[in-house]
Amino acid sequence: QKEVEQNSGPLSVPEGAIASLNCTYSDRGSQSFFWYRQYSGKSPELIMFIYSNGDKEDGRFTAQLNKASQYVSLLIRDSQPSDSATYLCAGYTGRRALTFGSGTRLQVQP
Amino acid sequence: GAVVSQHPSRVICKSGTSVKIECRSLDFQATTMFWYRQFPKQSLMLMATSNEGSKATYEQGVEKDKFLINHASLTLSTLTVTSAHPEDSSFYICSANLKVRQTGRLYNEQFFGPGTRLTVL
């Protein structure tokens, strides 16, 4: 079992819709989780991180963490074509480095 | 946020040559830096953890004699791909940890460099 798992997609949503990206993790001891966005050929850029159960909102983005279910999600409201990218979920799984999921490719259709 | 730079951004070399990639933390000190590799359409795979003043810690399956890591200062880590071959062609990304405080708690946040695209002919 991979430590951090994501559906590879692609996830296709129309412009203006809500995009929902999901991630599960296997290490119950993991404390904090990160969502990165990566455009093709570029380095990942941090969108937000979450460490407490519940929701955390930042602009159009909402991260959700459910430690009991070992589940992390990212909601993108009012999706824009510029949001089209690969979204990487990552967590600290007992090491000092982040462990990344395989990423979900999001396509926002104009 | 904190800034991490990498140099060069792109390098093309002949098979058998060695290539050095630099990773710098520009506005903070990093005792620990990380080197990742990413092949097309795949996620980031951790290669090694670079520790200032001590030996790097390599992930399973990563040859330490082929991927030499030196972390001689608190702001610079280098990765040297020795005797590069076409299968080493990849996107190499470094990152550095910085403790950030949020709502009274300290958390590790990783800041990534822009990456180095290595092509070995």
Side-chain angles (χ1 to χ4, degrees):
Chain A
Q1 183 188 7
K2 293 182 182 177
E3 293 175 306
V4 179
E5 293 206 53
Q6 292 181 256
N7 187 320
S8 62
L11 172 66
S12 184
V13 299
E15 184 174 356
I18 296 175
S20 178
L21 303 158
N22 304 314
C23 172
T24 58
Y25 61 95
S26 59
D27 183 358
R28 283 197 171 274
S30 298
Q31 294 294 315
S32 50
F33 297 88
F34 299 75
W35 282 101
Y36 286 85
R37 177 173 61 194
Q38 186 177 27
Y39 293 109
S40 181
K42 301 294 185 182
S43 189
E45 53 179 325
L46 181 67
I47 297 174
M48 60 194 307
F49 68 90
I50 187 168
Y51 48 82
S52 297
N53 269 330
D55 296 0
K56 179 182 178 184
E57 188 174 316
D58 185 359
R60 295 187 296 114
F61 300 96
T62 299
Q64 299 172 318
L65 174 60
N66 183 323
K67 291 188 178 181
S69 301
Q70 296 176 238
Y71 175 89
V72 192
S73 67
L74 179 70
L75 299 178
I76 306 175
R77 289 180 298 282
D78 189 24
S79 296
Q80 301 297 308
S82 58
D83 294 325
S84 298
T86 296
Y87 289 80
L88 300 168
C89 171
Y92 286 107
T93 56
R95 300 185 298 187
R96 287 179 295 166
L98 284 169
T99 298
F100 284 86
S102 56
T104 298
R105 191 156 58 92
L106 173 65
Q107 295 176 340
V108 180
Q109 307 293 339
Chain B
V3 178
V4 176
S5 71
Q6 271 185 252
H7 177 80
S9 59
R10 186 180 295 268
V11 58
I12 301 173
C13 69
K14 292 182 180 179
S15 185
T17 60
S18 293
V19 174
K20 181 186 282 189
I21 303 170
E22 292 186 348
C23 177
R24 292 181 187 273
S25 55
L26 297 185
D27 49 1
F28 66 102
Q29 294 181 330
T31 55
T32 304
M33 291 184 174
F34 305 98
W35 287 96
Y36 292 85
R37 179 168 55 182
Q38 186 177 35
F39 292 107
K41 299 191 185 303
Q42 295 186 25
S43 191
L44 280 73
M45 296 301 297
L46 179 67
M47 298 175 66
T49 301
S50 173
N51 306 299
E52 189 269 335
S54 65
K55 291 182 180 180
T57 305
Y58 290 83
E59 295 298 301
Q60 192 172 10
V62 178
E63 299 174 56
K64 61 181 181 181
D65 294 330
K66 180 168 182 64
F67 298 99
L68 300 179
I69 291 173
N70 184 283
H71 195 152
S73 79
L74 287 171
T75 59
L76 173 65
S77 175
T78 61
L79 168 68
T80 301
V81 183
T82 62
S83 186
H85 290 284
E87 58 265 29
D88 298 322
S89 298
S90 188
F91 191 44
Y92 292 85
I93 308 172
C94 73
S95 70
N97 262 2
L98 180 66
K99 287 196 183 296
V100 296
R101 185 177 293 276
Q102 191 171 93
T103 60
R105 294 176 63 177
L106 281 177
Y107 293 92
N108 277 323
E109 187 171 335
Q110 271 191 241
F111 293 90
F112 284 85
T116 297
R117 175 78 57 192
L118 171 63
T119 303
V120 184
L121 303 176

